[in-house]
Amino acid sequence: MGAVAGVRILGSGAFVPDNLITNEDLAALGCDSDWIVRRTGILERRHATDDQATSDLCYEAAVRCLADAAVSADDLDLIIVGTMTPDHFTPSTACHLQRRLGAFAGAMDLSAACAGFTYALTTAAQFIACGNAKRVLVVGADLMSGTIDPDDKKTFPLFGDGAGAVVLGPDDGDEEEKGVSEDAQASPALKDGRSGILSYQLGSEGCGGEMLCVPAGGTRTPLTEEAREKGLQYLHMDGRNVFKWAVRVFEDSAKDVLKAAGVTPDDLALVVMHQANQRIIDSAVSDLGVPPEKVFANLDRYGNTSAASIPLALDEVLREDRIRRGDLVLLCGFGSGLAWGTALIRY
């Protein structure tokens, strides 16, 4: 458990490919449109075209983000890309993005699958809080359509492609009054009054890694012709057990994070979870006691975009003015690893 005060989101941006894939389109491939809606809540998703790579999606989201924040690429000190679908094993997708932006900055990828953005966000915040960076670009992006077996009628409809980004900078506390908490039970970060991550938890349960994995393509199991014939280059998912795990880990980690900050669910302005499945979202927030109107969801339009799902949602929330400076927002990403990251931020 940790906290990072004095860090604020300066701007956001997002990008999804133009290639719209509806449930009706997938029905032509033999997928059951009614089943998709009933079991997941997904109506459509975006798929990259053959000439688009993950770094292309990152670049478009980053350009929009920098413009929104009124920050130049020259001002960036660090670029972190959360992704499980890099352009190459090396160089990193972040280095491709740095080159295209023309930034003079450190750049690195962070691989935590669907928890990638929360891992990247909390990592970036440390650099700001320690005074080692003034402007950090954080991108969550995945091109999931290339990782799923199109013959897997239960898994292929769940995923889409996209990218979302935020720019982080320091909050020196010289703005308008931000409602500093007087609650004796509140964490030091909450009493601080500045924007930041009031409490966060990063976790992993590697013992469940086989429930959500791509079996071949690394050094453990090289991608041989035999592996290809078995479809081991594609994502394999134990959907039933992943569902149970996701609901449990969100409830447990959310309660831990809120307790550490001295905050109750009633204090939250919004909850933005990883957009994996509407049933997971509904079940998890119901157990936590958060009313539906405080829970944001857009997976009906984008599907599961892995590391992109939270920043895609955040960008939409900000453009709709659904949160204001000083609001408390709970973020939670969870997925392959098995890994999760939950963060309570004061926007």
Side-chain angles (χ1 to χ4, degrees), residues 97-134:
L97 179 57
Q98 170 270 323
R99 170 182 55 81
R100 290 193 62 183
L101 290 174
F104 185 75
M108 62 179 176
D109 286 357
L110 195 157
S111 180
C114 303
F117 180 77
T118 47
Y119 269 67
L121 184 74
T122 52
T123 300
Q126 317 292 329
F127 282 87
I128 301 289
C130 291
N132 292 323
K134 289 290 186 182

Side-chain angles (χ1 to χ4, degrees), residues 135-278:
R135 299 288 184 268
V136 180
L137 176 64
V138 183
V139 184
D142 272 308
L143 203 156
M144 295 300 295
S145 60
T147 70
I148 311 300
D149 185 351
D151 292 328
D152 185 343
K153 304 301 188 293
K154 300 297 185 184
T155 304
F156 187 70
L158 307 183
F159 293 90
D161 305 332
V166 297
V167 172
L168 296 187
D171 181 355
D172 53 20
D174 60 357
E175 291 188 18
E176 69 278 1
E177 178 61 39
K178 297 185 179 179
V180 178
S181 174
E182 300 297 332
D183 185 349
Q185 301 299 314
S187 69
L190 183 58
K191 294 179 180 180
D192 183 295
R194 294 177 295 168
S195 297
I197 302 175
L198 305 186
S199 178
Y200 73 88
Q201 181 187 75
L202 304 180
S204 62
E205 294 182 7
C207 56
E210 291 185 357
M211 289 196 295
L212 193 57
C213 69
V214 177
T219 57
R220 175 66 63 190
T221 306
L223 190 54
T224 61
E225 280 303 315
E226 182 182 3
R228 283 185 179 276
E229 290 174 3
K230 294 179 179 179
L232 301 184
Q233 73 274 30
Y234 294 123
L235 183 69
H236 289 229
M237 180 170 68
D238 179 353
R240 184 181 299 273
N241 284 317
V242 169
F243 182 101
K244 293 177 181 178
W245 171 82
V247 172
R248 173 180 63 81
V249 79
F250 170 77
E251 182 182 4
D252 291 348
S253 65
K255 287 180 177 178
D256 289 345
V257 165
L258 293 179
K259 182 179 180 180
V263 167
T264 71
D266 291 338
D267 298 320
L268 298 173
L270 204 65
V271 175
V272 180
M273 293 174 60
H274 167 50
Q275 306 289 297
N277 182 305
Q278 189 63 51

Side-chain angles (χ1 to χ4, degrees), residues 13-25:
F15 177 78
V16 293
D18 293 333
N19 187 24
L20 177 67
I21 308 295
T22 67
N23 288 349
E24 289 68 31
D25 295 328

